[in-house]
Amino acid sequence: MTANPRVPIEEGYFTIPDGDEPPRLLGSRCVACDEHFFPRREVCAKCLHRQTDDVTLSPMGTLYTWTYLHVPLFGSQRAENGYGVGQIDLPEGPRVQSVLQGGPGDFAVGMEMQMELETLRQNEEGEDVVIFRFRPNADAAGGAS
Ligand SMILES: [Zn+2]
């Protein structure tokens, strides 16, 4: 079985690596004050400097807060009728809102989270349409899956 080519649901928010590299969010770094942002922006929101560099952000972060919605994930073919949503603090500074992988018993504020990609559906070209999400980092949690 060969994997379908993957395309992002929206361009410009995250990478889709070919190999074993983790996907990463696409951010910006202010060249004047070093503040990082997600999503990308051209003007710094902290010091209003008008030049930022494109950077890729860490695929790991810390869960700041989360909730669980007992409705289907919009546009997804997931079987479960519910999904987690959380805010993840990245080491570079941005707080990112994301869909979470796992059930309502799987999350705890302060836990280490890892970014990954989820296939929502196939498009008419046979490509997998993917979004980013975060899941609890099993390596840090002693093997919990
Ligand atoms: Zn700045």
Side-chain angles (χ1 to χ4, degrees), residues 30 33 44 47:
C30 174
C33 76
C44 177
C47 76

Side-chain angles (χ1 to χ4, degrees), residues 30 32-35 44 46-49:
C30 174
C33 76
D34 204 38
E35 189 81 358
C44 177
K46 185 178 179 189
C47 76
L48 302 182
H49 190 78

Side-chain angles (χ1 to χ4, degrees), residues 72 76-82 118:
S76 166
Q77 295 171 334
R78 276 193 193 197
E80 319 93 82
N81 280 323
E118 173 174 344

Side-chain angles (χ1 to χ4, degrees), residues 95-110:
R95 181 167 289 162
V96 177
Q97 181 148 323
S98 174
V99 169
L100 304 179
Q101 168 64 7
D106 294 336
F107 311 119
V109 168

Side-chain angles (χ1 to χ4, degrees), residues 90-144:
L90 301 181
E92 295 88 352
R95 181 167 289 162
V96 177
Q97 181 148 323
S98 174
V99 169
L100 304 179
Q101 168 64 7
D106 294 336
F107 311 119
V109 168
M111 74 192 317
E112 187 171 309
M113 305 292 284
Q114 174 153 17
M115 182 180 159
E116 62 183 12
L117 300 178
E118 173 174 344
T119 299
L120 288 176
R121 60 180 179 274
Q122 275 76 46
N123 65 17
E124 291 176 358
E125 288 76 39
E127 299 164 320
D128 287 345
V129 177
V130 298
I131 59 168
F132 74 89
R133 68 182 181 192
F134 279 81
R135 63 169 169 77
N137 180 13
D139 298 335

Side-chain angles (χ1 to χ4, degrees), residues 28 39-45 48-54:
S28 300
R40 284 187 168 161
R41 51 184 305 141
E42 295 179 2
V43 176
C44 177
L48 302 182
H49 190 78
R50 292 184 171 276
Q51 187 184 351
T52 58
D53 286 338
D54 289 347

